[in-house]
Amino acid sequence: MTLGLDEDGGAASPSGRLVEVAVDAAGGRSQTYTYLVPKTLADLAVGEAVLVEFGRRQALGIVVAEADLAPVATPRPIVARVRADGPLLPPLSLALARTIAEQYLAPPALVLRAMLPPGLLERLELVAELGPTRWVAGVDAGAPGAAPTPVVHTDAADADLLQQLERGPRPVRDLAGPDGRAGLLRRLRALAASGSISLEWTLIRAGAGPRYERWLALREEGRALLAVHATDEKPKGRPLGPRQAAALAELASATDGELPAADLADRHGHASLAGLVRRGLVESEVRERPRRPLASRPVGARGGRPTASPLSPAQAQAVALIRAAIVGRDPRPLLLDGVTGGGKTAIYVEAIAASLDAGRPALVLVPEIALALPLVDRLRADLDSRVALLHSGLGDGERADEWRRIRSGDVDIVVGTRLAVLAPLADVGVVIVDEEHDAAYKSDRTPRLQARDMAIRLGALAGAAVVLGSATPAVESVGRALSDEYARVVLPARPVGAAPMVEIVDLREELAAGQRGLLSRALSSALGALDPATGEQAILVLNRRGTASVVLCRDCGHVQACPDCERPLVYHQAGTTLRCHHCGRASPLASRCPACGSPRIRYLGGGTERVEREVKEGFPGLRVGRLDRDVVEHRGAAERVIDAFAEGRLDVLVGTSLVTKGLDIPSVTLVGIVSSDVALNLPDERAAERTYQLLVQAIGRAGRGTRAGRAIIQSYQPDHPAIQAAASGDRDSFYRAELALRERFGSPPFGRLVKLTVGLADPAAAEREATAMAQRLRERASEEGGRVAVVGPAPAYIARRADRWRWNIVLRGADPTAILDGGLDAPWSLDVDPDSLL
């Protein structure tokens, strides 16, 4: 980019003020850069976008802070301000961005990009626009009563440029001139110096900018003519046509006498409306038309539990603590730890109301998109507040409009997935993290932040109350509560309903008895006893998706695998394809074994599609729906499935872990965990924790109403401690055992982890690089006094992905990032505080 110029068209002297700038062209460098602020930009604010010299080119940057000292003798001056409707982010967001960059060793510019709507920084243009007046002041313009002297452009080329700008601001690259690019820029600078035009670097929002629509408003002349037209009196001038009279009548009956032009045109015709505008009877105005994800969803769409019932003593204690934290601006986290259905949502509503009463907005995080809408429905029904929704399933335009609403302070509550922790809030009074244990809060791409941890940090920066809610808290959260780092309130019982009866079915015995299907005899019997006529419903849970886990040849034992990842392909009945769940590669279904040519191919295991089919075939009277990642990927599909189940239009919901989170449906009396121990044998220290959480969350969906609930756990390992703890409700012994293991190995909350991964096309080269890196890190750890343990290298659990052989190194310690010198270069990737070591 070489079109930079100062706002006055020439060199600008520095003001002596220094600022830190996150440069968007800095690649993977985890640092900001110091620049001088020219005197012409003395009012430049932190958070604004700027154009700076970076190396031999010019680049976009964002001012993130004031700087006291320059790292070099003569820092470069900022080239120009970039117009973007003021600061892109408020100070609170900038402070959070700094924390994220420091904690996760992420490039500051990439962190800021994640905080902005998609595409906002993609197109930077030098834009020309006509000046507010098209003249400059005369010599004696300061004299009383002096009139400005119009600028007369006798040069035809200058006049042509001005004419090109008559239709509105235009990028310089779209303007045409007779003397080439250099001559065009000279002319534009001269016109800018005369005040006839302005030249500004501007962020062009391609695809995600504001959307506009035309509105029509009834003028007094139109109202008077309409009144005359309604009588037998002959109007002066041309009478109204029937369609014009109908349009005026509709406008007269509308609120404030105005309506969208498109709606009126559909009913009365464009020609009729154009005639009304020409005659001065109707006024036309273009306005922004915000995209609202919740616009078509009525308040109380799914209803919800009444909130008028009194709070239990434990609920009242939690609400009192949160209110005191809001008033005292105390950011110490409060862990709401209790049974599923224990009334956490009622506490959330009271906490948000208290924050709004204090004049401060609220932020609510949920782990999945599918869970956002049920919570939004509850909040909109209970609180008369402006709610914004933020998640990756929104269209770019919807997300950008919600972001602009939040930045402008036009919302009271922000609800969303982990993306919402980056919302541009200028202030926040309470931060709520629902299902705080969920792995979905950890991002799998740079910046690899843990949204729960950053929500806690946001609370500290804003002086906000922080509430972490879960029936199955993360092991590290329980540990921090036991060490008094967190406050803790236990919700021991459900306000409505009772804990369901839990039964464990040994699948080994089922197999010995000849039961080959995915549903045990006990679960099949329970489904057969389900009575849809009385509104009874069931949820069936699997910890996988697809129809089969492997496709196996019965003659030679060959398993069809992904050629890239070398992991078994999963058969999906929809589309009859095999799909890799690691890289997404799809392959056609083979009719014969690729290894031996045998046609005897058998599908082993089962996923959500196969369970759905078995239920439909075995129980044709039941209406069955499915909710898994494949469904969620289709826009609006998850919302439709959840609404159908909540409204009683489905009897059985089959799904993955998605159906174990946040569903509060009193008519669910049966929960079946079809595959409870799928992940128990993974080589990951969180395997038992994840299995326990899945089981407890699933069991908790049953018996939330007045009817008794029942849960059936199917397992090949019925004696495993995680399964026994989930079935018996002995949560304390489970957490004690897990914390003892964590302390032994220095895992959270007793230490921090960092996972380093290298991936190379040559397997030998990947191993050599991993071995050399481990040796370097051990040397650095020794220099640091051995406070960091270096584990590995070892092949990644998925050793090959996307034609890359992968090796992992794990660092353990109080501050394992201390030996990394700020980051790593390619081909290494870095995951601070990883959710999994696989």
Side-chain angles (χ1 to χ4, degrees), residues 354-636:
S355 182
L356 299 182
D357 288 344
R360 306 178 73 190
L363 172 64
V364 184
L365 301 184
V366 295
E368 301 283 353
I369 295 172
L371 302 184
L373 282 174
L375 184 57
V376 165
D377 287 337
R378 175 69 181 270
L379 294 176
R380 295 173 80 203
D382 294 347
L383 301 171
D384 183 18
S385 303
R386 301 164 296 176
V387 180
L389 193 61
L390 269 185
H391 56 74
S392 60
L394 299 177
D396 286 352
E398 289 177 317
R399 185 169 156 189
D401 280 3
E402 293 291 82
W403 179 86
R404 280 189 284 269
R405 286 180 66 207
I406 298 167
R407 189 184 65 164
S408 65
D410 194 31
V411 300
D412 303 309
I413 308 169
V414 178
V415 179
T417 54
R418 65 173 181 250
L419 181 71
V421 78
L422 306 177
L425 287 162
D427 185 28
V428 61
V430 64
V431 180
I432 297 170
V433 185
D434 190 32
E435 308 293 0
E436 64 89 30
H437 68 277
D438 202 283
Y441 284 124
K442 175 65 175 177
S443 175
D444 58 358
R445 62 186 64 182
T446 304
R448 289 187 167 94
L449 61 87
Q450 207 327 326
R452 175 199 61 210
D453 296 347
M454 289 303 97
I456 294 171
R457 184 57 182 160
L458 178 65
L461 292 169
V466 178
V467 182
L468 310 177
S470 177
T472 55
V475 170
E476 57 261 42
S477 295
V478 172
R480 291 184 176 115
L482 292 175
S483 67
D484 211 33
E485 186 178 343
Y486 294 174
R488 185 185 189 188
V489 172
V490 176
L491 306 173
R494 294 177 171 182
V496 179
M501 295 181 59
V502 183
E503 174 185 352
I504 300 177
V505 175
D506 190 337
L507 290 180
R508 297 170 298 183
E509 296 179 359
E510 292 289 310
L511 193 61
Q515 179 67 16
R516 295 288 189 263
L518 294 178
L519 306 179
S520 64
R521 290 168 293 179
L523 186 52
S524 294
S525 175
L527 284 170
L530 202 68
D531 187 4
T534 62
E536 290 186 332
Q537 294 175 290
I539 294 175
L540 301 182
V541 184
L542 293 91
N543 199 17
R544 66 177 72 179
R545 57 181 178 170
T547 304
S549 57
V550 295
V551 182
L552 176 141
C553 173
R554 298 175 66 182
D555 288 338
C556 74
H558 174 78
V559 174
Q560 289 188 248
C562 173
D564 294 329
C565 304
E566 298 185 347
R567 301 294 298 167
L569 293 168
V570 176
Y571 172 64
H572 285 252
Q573 187 176 24
T576 61
T577 59
L578 297 174
R579 185 172 294 275
C580 175
H581 284 178
H582 298 295
C583 70
R585 180 185 180 118
S587 299
L589 182 64
S591 59
R592 291 182 175 271
C593 173
C596 71
S598 169
R600 296 164 58 83
I601 294 178
R602 184 180 180 186
Y603 308 106
L604 297 181
T608 50
E609 293 178 20
R610 181 176 167 189
V611 172
E612 180 186 24
R613 187 178 72 249
E614 286 195 16
V615 175
K616 286 181 176 178
E617 292 174 352
F619 307 94
L622 297 178
R623 299 164 296 176
V624 186
R626 177 167 55 89
L627 184 65
D628 56 22
R629 293 290 180 194
D630 296 331
V631 173
V632 171
E633 287 175 358
H634 295 85
R635 183 178 172 86

Side-chain angles (χ1 to χ4, degrees), residues 35-89:
Y35 285 88
L36 276 169
V37 179
K39 290 182 179 178
T40 53
L41 300 178
D43 61 341
L44 185 71
V46 171
E48 287 199 72
V50 292
L51 190 68
V52 296
E53 296 282 354
F54 190 75
R56 297 184 178 180
R57 57 176 172 152
Q58 293 177 349
L60 178 67
I62 297 175
V63 179
V64 296
E66 302 285 345
D68 296 328
L69 298 173
V72 295
T74 310
R76 295 181 178 182
I78 290 173
V79 175
R81 171 190 273 123
V82 175
R83 186 169 64 179
D85 301 327
L88 291 173
L89 294 167

Side-chain angles (χ1 to χ4, degrees), residues 23-31 33 54 57 106-111 446:
V23 181
D24 198 45
R29 298 172 189 159
S30 301
Q31 66 182 92
Y33 298 86
F54 190 75
R57 57 176 172 152
L110 286 183
V111 176
T446 304

Side-chain angles (χ1 to χ4, degrees), residues 810-827:
V810 176
L811 309 181
R812 295 176 181 269
D815 183 16
T817 61
I819 65 171
L820 292 177
D821 289 337
L824 294 172
D825 297 325

